[in-house]
């Protein structure tokens, strides 16, 4: 049986005693590479599976076909919000899994795993659009079967996704080097598709704001704080007005990468939003899309008329919802410690700033001037 596990802290799949699985895909943000890994894990376990595509209410029907084609399995489209096709899906689950079955409900966070179980069992369960609403396996009796709710994060105890890379099969440092660089590059290249429309729209709308005298403010936490800082640095070198405000501990202490220092501080969101005028642009960077002060700053800035842009892997999140434009990377799957997502976000930031500068007609001479020291005569120290 497969040892892929669906919990942040390693818990083997087999200890759950699962005899079947429902894999849920969020049609609004399908995250196909990760969905494919869930399906692969279930196939590896040799148990029957049923794939459901949730949030049909948010997409056009052609998305369902695309998801089916790319995953190579039948995907039953449903909407747990409107109830569309839910009775049919319930019948399909009963038909696929006999009485007594222990059915794992799997999928990326926000796919609607807990919503499905709540709907089927009639229980009131905690659901929400913050990544990681469910952080434990929970068992729920339903029609003589057991539905097992799970965490929307895929970890493999044999091939630890806790770190960014899967080094399985690498025979030494040279192999690992090549694997790592190729994986990083793949994360950028698969972002070409998901980010294109958002990127083009963001570029045009940011350009308009800058031309009208506005500026950019960037924000993020942890590794995304570094991306925010890098975007601002590139802007500075290319003459695009830009400030960067983050949970600034992040840049000094990488501790906050893992611990999320100050992410819950609403005052920080207010402080950031105070720096954003109605004619400005706030760019929020968050791999998960769930960083507290970042999505809240976007909400406050949008309320006062600023343009809000999200650079994120997950658009069906509070950050995505508070953004006028989402530039979505597609660098997963990887574990909670992401590398490819950050690389893809850096690439998106570079692409955005360089394109902005080019469209503004930045000359080589100007760009050199922005980089040279600008000396200002100052008083002698000690003279008061
Ligand atoms: N528009 C829409 N929203 C939905 C639908 N189903 C669920 N949601 C919402 O999507 C969000 C995520 O739902 P959950 O059931 O918590 O998702 P989950 O897969 O259990 O997420 P985690 O516990 O974080 O892994 C919640 O805000 C739900 O209300 C749907 O069919 N349509
Ligand atoms: Mg849940």
């Amino acid at each position: 049986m497969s040892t892929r596990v669906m919990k942040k802290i390693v818990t083997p799949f087999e200890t759950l005693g699962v005899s079947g699985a429902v894999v849920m895909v969020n049609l609004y943000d399908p995250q196909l590479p990760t969905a494919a890994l869930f399906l692969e894990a279930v196939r590896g376990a040799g148990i029957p599976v049923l794939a459901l595509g949730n949030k049909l209410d948010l997409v056009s029907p052609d998305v369902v076909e695309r998801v089916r084609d790319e995953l190579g399995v039948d995907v039953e489209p449903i909407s747990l919000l409107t109830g569309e096709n839910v009775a049919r899906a319930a019948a399909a689950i009963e038909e696929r899994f006999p009485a007594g079955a222990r059915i794992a409900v799997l999928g990326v966070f926000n796919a609607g795993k807990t919503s499905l179980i709540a709907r089927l069992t009639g229980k009131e369960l905690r659901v929400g659009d913050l990544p990681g609403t469910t952080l434990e396996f929970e068992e729920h009796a339903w029609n003589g079967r057991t539905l097992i709710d799970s965490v929307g994060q895929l970890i493999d105890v044999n091939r630890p996704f806790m770190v960014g890379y899967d080094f399985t099969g690498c025979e030494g440092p040279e192999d690992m080097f090549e694997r790592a660089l190729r994986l990083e590059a793949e994360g950028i290249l698969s972002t070409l598709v998901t980010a294109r429309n958002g990127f083009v729209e963001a570029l045009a709308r940011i350009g308009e704001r800058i031309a009208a005298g506005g500026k950019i403010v960037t924000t993020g936490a942890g590794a995304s704080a570094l991306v925010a800082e890098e975007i601002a640095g590139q802007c500075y070198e290319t003459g695009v007005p830009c400030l960067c405000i983050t949970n600034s501990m992040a840049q000094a202490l990488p501790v906050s990468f893992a611990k999320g220092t100050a992410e819950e501080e609403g005052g920080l969101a207010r402080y950031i939003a105070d720096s954003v005028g109605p004619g400005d642009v706030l760019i929020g960077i968050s791999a998960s899309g769930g960083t507290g002060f970042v999505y809240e700053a976007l909400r406050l800035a949008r309320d006062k008329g600023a343009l809000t842009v999200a650079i994120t892997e997950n658009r069906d999140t509070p950050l995505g919802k508070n953004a006028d434009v989402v530039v979505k990377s597609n660098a997963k799957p990887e574990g909670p410690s992401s590398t490819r997502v950050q690389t893809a976000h850096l690439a998106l930031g570079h692409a955005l700033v360089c394109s902005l500068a080019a469209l503004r007609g930045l000359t080589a001479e100007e760009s050199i001037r922005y980089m040279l020291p600008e000396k200002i005569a100052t008083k002698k120290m000690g003279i008061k």
Side-chain angles (χ1 to χ4, degrees):
M1 187 177 268
S2 166
T3 46
R4 285 187 195 278
V5 292
M6 278 57 66
K7 195 171 190 303
K8 276 202 164 186
I9 309 301
V10 175
T11 306
F13 198 24
E14 58 255 45
T15 62
L16 293 170
V18 167
S19 60
V22 171
V23 171
M24 296 205 60
V25 179
N26 181 351
L27 294 172
Y28 182 64
D29 187 5
Q31 314 250 348
L32 292 169
T34 310
L37 270 186
F38 276 111
L39 285 167
E40 189 194 310
V42 173
R43 275 194 211 105
I47 55 178
V49 61
L50 182 77
L52 300 178
N54 187 30
K55 309 202 184 185
L56 184 58
D57 54 290
L58 296 177
V59 300
S60 59
D62 57 303
V63 172
V64 183
E65 277 315 310
R66 194 169 58 79
V67 169
R68 275 189 188 132
D69 285 351
E70 297 216 13
L71 288 179
V73 292
D74 197 20
V75 174
E76 178 86 25
I78 61 169
S79 170
L80 290 164
L81 184 76
T82 64
E84 191 176 352
N85 291 347
V86 172
R88 210 166 74 191
I93 296 172
E94 284 198 276
E95 195 187 307
R96 185 78 44 102
F97 309 107
R102 290 175 56 77
I103 308 159
V105 182
L106 308 174
V108 177
F109 59 74
N110 285 353
K113 301 178 291 296
T114 309
S115 298
L116 174 75
I117 295 171
R119 183 107 193 180
L120 293 179
T121 60
K123 287 187 185 176
E124 274 206 18
L125 302 173
R126 205 158 73 86
V127 302
D129 64 359
L130 272 174
T133 302
T134 307
L135 286 175
E136 297 294 335
F137 290 104
E138 278 164 24
E139 304 197 359
H140 303 274
W142 173 69
N143 276 2
R145 296 151 178 85
T146 304
L147 300 170
I148 306 173
D149 201 356
S150 68
V151 178
Q153 177 84 45
L154 188 131
I155 313 288
D156 183 327
V157 286
N158 287 341
R159 308 183 214 171
F161 279 106
M162 289 298 282
V163 290
Y165 309 128
D166 179 354
F167 282 131
T168 310
C170 284
E171 287 187 353
E174 277 185 30
D175 272 5
M176 293 164 88
F177 164 73
E178 186 167 338
R179 174 79 54 88
L181 262 65
R182 286 192 187 286
L183 285 170
E184 294 284 319
E186 278 168 18
I188 294 177
L189 290 178
S190 53
T191 293
L192 272 174
V193 181
T194 56
R196 182 172 279 122
N197 292 343
F199 181 91
V200 171
E201 186 184 346
L203 187 60
R205 293 179 68 180
I206 294 172
E208 280 167 17
R209 295 275 176 143
I210 304 284
K215 67 175 181 304
I216 300 173
V217 178
T218 60
T219 189
S224 297
L226 298 181
V227 177
E229 186 93 335
E230 170 64 6
I231 292 175
Q234 289 283 334
C235 281
Y236 191 75
E237 290 189 349
T238 53
V240 177
C242 184
L243 302 176
C244 174
I245 307 178
T246 68
N247 57 339
S248 65
M249 289 279 284
Q251 285 130 53
L253 299 173
V255 168
S256 71
F257 283 31
K259 306 290 181 195
T261 309
E263 284 186 15
E264 286 182 320
E265 182 49 65
L268 184 53
R270 198 157 43 77
Y271 185 79
I272 293 165
D274 282 347
S275 74
V276 183
D280 293 343
V281 181
L282 179 59
I283 303 180
I285 303 128
S286 168
S288 69
T291 307
F293 77 85
V294 175
Y295 73 70
E296 177 65 3
L298 261 74
R299 189 184 69 76
L300 294 170
R302 181 155 75 173
D303 271 359
K304 64 162 107 164
L307 174 70
T308 56
V309 177
I311 298 180
T312 183
E313 182 83 3
N314 306 309
R315 69 173 182 151
D316 192 15
T317 52
L319 183 67
K321 290 172 188 175
N322 290 338
D324 297 313
V325 189
V326 177
V327 184
K328 181 188 147 50
S329 59
N330 190 32
K332 287 206 284 194
E334 56 187 353
S337 170
S338 57
T339 64
R340 271 177 287 173
V341 173
Q342 254 69 52
T343 303
H345 289 181
L346 273 174
L348 287 172
H350 288 157
L352 198 58
V353 178
C354 292
S355 306
L356 260 179
L359 291 175
R360 276 159 47 88
L362 180 79
T363 63
E365 209 171 293
E366 283 166 339
S367 112
I368 287 168
R369 208 178 59 232
Y370 289 126
M371 287 182 219
L372 290 177
E374 297 165 58
K375 293 287 185 208
I376 296 166
T378 190
K379 64 180 174 46
K380 291 286 172 277
M381 292 305 293
I383 303 289
K384 296 283 189 307

